[in-house]
Amino acid sequence: MALGIPIWVIVGLMAVCVLVLMWMLASLYRKAAPNEALVVYGFRKTRTVVGGGTIILPVVENFRVLSLELMSFDVAPQQDLYTNQGVAVTVEAVAQIKVKSDLISINTASEQFLSKTPQQREGLIRLVMEGHLRGIIGQLTVEQIVKEPEMLADRMRATCAKDVNKMGLEVISFTIKEVRDKNEYITNMGRPDVARIKRDADVASAEAERDTAIKRAQAQRESAIAKAQADQERVLAETLSMAKQSEAQRDLEIKKATYLETIKKQQAQADKAYEIQTNIMLQQVTAEAVKVQQVEKEQQVKVQEAEIARRQNELIATVLKPAEIERQRIETLASAERQRLITEAEGSANATRAQGEAEADIIFKKGDAEARAMNVKAEAYQEYNQAAVVDKLITSLPDIVQALASPLQKVDKITIVSTGDGNAAGMNKITGDMTKIAAQVPALFEALSGMQMSELFAKVRAIGDKSPRPDDPPASLPKGKGAGA
C-alpha cells in the first residue's frame, strides 16, 4: 500500500463502479413485448426487434414501439351504396386487421403508421375498405347481398388483400353486420317468400288438422268397433258359459238319476237275495232244530229203556223167588209201562217232527204261493204286454218331458242377442230347442216299445175294446195258479 489507502476501500470502490455500470446498462436495455415490435433507429442504422431486447445507446439512438395487436373497427360508409340495380342500400360491416408477423411487413407498417395514432391509422384503413366495399356493392344485386353475405365477405377480403399488403397489414376477417334501404326494397323482397311461407304454413297446418281429425275419427271408429266386438264376444262368452253350465248341470242330473236307478236296482236285487237267503236259512235252522229234538227224544227213550232195564234187573235181583203170578204181574206191568213210555216217546217225537214238517211246509207253501203269484202276474203281463207298455209310456209322458226340461229350471238368466234384422236369435233358439226336444219324445217311445206310435195307439184302442165292462163277471184265475194251490 504505497499511497496508504486500505485495500478494502479499493475493493469497495470497484464494487460500486461495477454496480453503477450495471445499472447504467440496465437502464439502456429495452425489451419488446409479445404484442409489439421495437423499432430502433440512429447510430447503428434502423433495426427491428421482435420478441427480444436490445441496448439503446443514449443520445445517438432512439426507438419506437409498433403494436402488433388485432385491430377491429366498423366499416360503415355514410353515403348510400348503389347496387347494379340502382337500389341505394346502407351496409354496415366489421373488419379485423393486424400487422403481419414477418420483419418486412413490420418495417413496411412502421414506415406507414409509426408516426400516426391508432385512430389515424384506423381512419386510413377504413377509407380503403369503404372504397373497395362501394365497388363490390355496385357489382351485386340486393338479393345477392342479402342472401349471400359470405360471398360478399370473401370478395371483400380478396379485393382488399393487395392494398393492405402494401401497408404491411392483413385482413383477418370481414363480416357484414347489416344491410338496409330507405325504400323498403329488402322488406318487400321478402314478402312473396313470407306470403308463400305463411301460405305453406297455413296449408300445412290445415292439412295437419285435417289429418288429425281423420286420425281421431278413425281411432274413435276403431275404438267403437273394438268395443262393440268386445261386448259381443263378452255376451257370446257369457251365453256359451251359461249354456255349458246348463249342459253340465243336465249331464250331472242325468248321471245322478242313472246312479240312483242303478243303486235302487242293486238294492232291490240285494233285498230279494237277502230275503231268499233268509228263507233258506230259516228252513235249514228249522230242519236242524227238528233233528235236534228228534235226537233228544231218542236219547230220552234210550234213557227210559235203560231205566226200565235197571228196574227189571233190580226186581229180578231183589225178588227172585216171589210168586209166579206176582212176577208175571210185574212183568206185565213192566211191559205195559215200557210200551206206554215207548208210545209216549214216539208220540212226542212224531209231534215234534210233525211240527217241524208243518213249519217247513208253511214256508214252502208261502214261497210257492209267491212264485205262483209271480207266474200269474207274468202270464197276465204276457197276455197284454203291449198294452202295459203303452200304458206305462203314456203315463210316464209328463215325467219324461219334465226331466227333459229340468235343466232349464236351473237357468237363472238368459241373455238374448239381437242380430239387427228384427229377430231375437236367442228366443228362437230356445223355443226351437224345446220343439226339437218335444219332437224326440215319439221317437223315444217307438225305440222303447219297438212299434210305431200309430200301431201303439191302434193297440190301445183294440185293448180298450177287449177290456171287461163293469157289469161283466170277474174272470177266474187259471187252474193251479192260485195262492192256495
Side-chain angles (χ1 to χ4, degrees):
M1 184 181 301
L3 299 177
I5 300 172
I7 189 63
W8 60 270
V9 174
I10 296 173
V11 173
L13 290 173
M14 292 178 62
V16 171
C17 291
V18 171
L19 290 175
V20 170
L21 181 61
M22 291 179 61
W23 176 80
M24 291 176 64
L25 291 174
S27 62
L28 295 176
Y29 190 82
R30 293 288 182 270
K31 297 180 292 295
N35 60 340
E36 62 184 9
L38 190 64
V39 180
V40 181
Y41 57 95
F43 177 73
R44 291 180 293 178
K45 298 182 180 180
T46 302
R47 63 182 185 276
T48 303
V49 179
V50 178
T54 184
I55 295 176
I56 300 174
L57 299 176
V59 180
V60 295
E61 289 183 339
N62 201 353
F63 69 94
R64 292 287 183 90
V65 177
L66 178 66
S67 176
L68 302 180
E69 291 182 349
L70 184 67
M71 294 177 289
S72 178
F73 52 90
D74 293 333
V75 179
Q78 299 297 323
Q79 299 82 11
D80 293 334
L81 305 179
Y82 291 91
T83 64
N84 66 352
Q85 300 165 319
V87 179
V89 296
T90 301
V91 179
E92 293 183 3
V94 176
Q96 292 180 342
I97 297 177
K98 70 178 292 294
V99 177
K100 298 175 70 174
S101 300
D102 59 286
L103 293 177
I104 296 174
S105 298
I106 293 173
N107 292 330
T108 302
S110 300
E111 295 175 359
Q112 300 291 333
F113 306 109
L114 195 58
S115 61
K116 295 179 175 59
T117 62
Q119 290 79 12
Q120 292 174 345
R121 181 173 52 187
E122 290 178 3
L124 293 174
I125 298 172
R126 185 180 292 110
L127 290 174
V128 176
M129 300 290 289
E130 288 179 357
H132 287 293
L133 179 62
R134 186 182 300 274
I136 294 173
I137 292 297
Q139 299 174 4
L140 302 176
T141 62
V142 178
E143 287 79 3
Q144 290 177 325
I145 297 171
V146 173
K147 296 181 179 179
E148 301 179 24
E150 291 297 331
M151 181 269 294
L152 175 60
D154 292 339
R155 293 184 64 175
M156 187 66 184
R157 285 194 297 269
T159 304
C160 296
K162 294 181 180 181
D163 291 341
V164 297
N165 284 339
K166 294 177 181 180
M167 294 184 287
L169 305 176
E170 62 178 342
V171 180
I172 301 302
S173 67
F174 185 88
T175 306
I176 303 299
K177 278 176 49 177
E178 183 180 4
V179 179
R180 62 181 182 274
D181 67 305
K182 298 178 181 179
N183 298 320
E184 297 184 354
Y185 181 91
I186 297 175
T187 304
N188 295 328
M189 180 182 66
R191 285 183 179 178
D193 293 336
V194 172
R196 178 179 55 79
I197 294 172
K198 184 177 181 182
R199 180 195 62 197
D200 294 342
D202 293 339
V203 171
S205 178
E207 291 178 351
E209 292 179 356
R210 180 198 62 192
D211 295 341
T212 302
I214 292 173
K215 294 293 184 181
R216 186 182 295 110
Q218 290 178 352
Q220 291 177 354
R221 180 172 62 83
E222 292 175 357
S223 176
I225 292 173
K227 183 177 181 182
Q229 291 178 352
D231 292 338
Q232 291 179 0
E233 292 177 357
R234 178 179 58 79
V235 172
L236 180 60
E238 291 178 354
T239 304
L240 292 176
S241 177
M242 295 176 65
K244 291 294 184 181
Q245 292 178 3
S246 300
E247 291 178 0
Q249 188 66 29
R250 181 196 63 191
D251 296 340
L252 179 61
E253 295 296 334
I254 293 173
K255 289 182 179 179
K256 285 184 178 180
T258 305
Y259 179 71
L260 292 175
E261 182 180 1
T262 303
I263 290 177
K264 289 181 179 180
K265 288 182 180 180
Q266 293 178 354
Q267 186 66 35
Q269 292 176 358
D271 293 342
K272 192 65 178 178
Y274 176 77
E275 183 179 355
I276 294 173
Q277 188 66 28
T278 301
N279 292 332
I280 293 174
M281 293 299 296
L282 288 175
Q283 291 178 3
Q284 292 178 357
V285 169
T286 303
E288 292 296 329
V290 170
K291 290 181 180 179
V292 170
Q293 292 178 359
Q294 185 177 2
V295 171
E296 289 179 353
K297 295 296 184 182
E298 291 177 354
Q299 293 297 328
Q300 290 178 1
V301 170
K302 290 181 180 180
V303 171
Q304 291 177 358
E305 289 179 352
E307 182 66 22
I308 292 172
R310 186 185 65 77
R311 289 181 180 182
Q312 183 179 4
N313 293 329
E314 184 180 359
L315 290 173
I316 293 172
T318 56
V319 184
L320 294 176
K321 300 298 183 179
E324 187 65 21
I325 297 173
E326 186 67 19
R327 183 183 62 79
Q328 292 178 356
R329 184 180 67 81
I330 293 172
E331 289 179 355
T332 302
L333 292 176
S335 298
E337 183 65 17
R338 185 182 62 182
Q339 187 65 33
R340 183 182 66 80
L341 293 174
I342 292 171
T343 302
E344 289 178 356
E346 290 178 352
S348 177
N350 291 331
T352 301
R353 188 181 298 106
Q355 181 180 359
E357 292 177 353
E359 291 177 354
D361 187 67
I362 290 171
I363 294 172
F364 175 78
K365 287 181 178 182
K366 182 178 178 181
D368 185 68
E370 291 178 353
R372 291 174 183 274
M374 292 298 293
N375 292 330
V376 171
K377 187 174 181 180
E379 291 175 359
Y381 272 98
Q382 186 177 5
E383 293 178 359
Y384 60 94
N385 54 355
Q386 294 179 348
V389 170
V390 173
D391 178 65
K392 291 295 184 180
L393 292 176
I394 293 175
T395 55
S396 301
L397 177 60
D399 297 334
I400 295 174
V401 175
Q402 182 179 2
L404 291 175
S406 60
L408 292 177
Q409 296 177 358
K410 298 178 175 60
V411 177
D412 181 61
K413 180 177 70 174
I414 297 177
T415 303
I416 299 175
V417 180
S418 176
T419 59
D421 55 356
N423 295 325
M427 185 58 70
N428 294 339
K429 179 65 176 177
I430 294 173
T431 55
D433 292 342
M434 292 302 299
T435 304
K436 291 180 181 178
I437 292 173
Q440 293 175 1
V441 175
L444 179 62
F445 284 171
E446 293 175 1
L448 294 175
S449 62
M451 298 179 65
Q452 299 291 328
M453 289 295 295
S454 58
E455 295 180 6
L456 290 175
F457 285 114
K459 290 291 184 179
V460 172
R461 286 195 297 271
I463 293 171
D465 294 338
K466 294 179 181 181
S467 61
R469 301 295 186 270
D471 52 354
D472 292 342
S476 61
L477 295 173
K479 293 181 180 181
K481 303 298 177 71

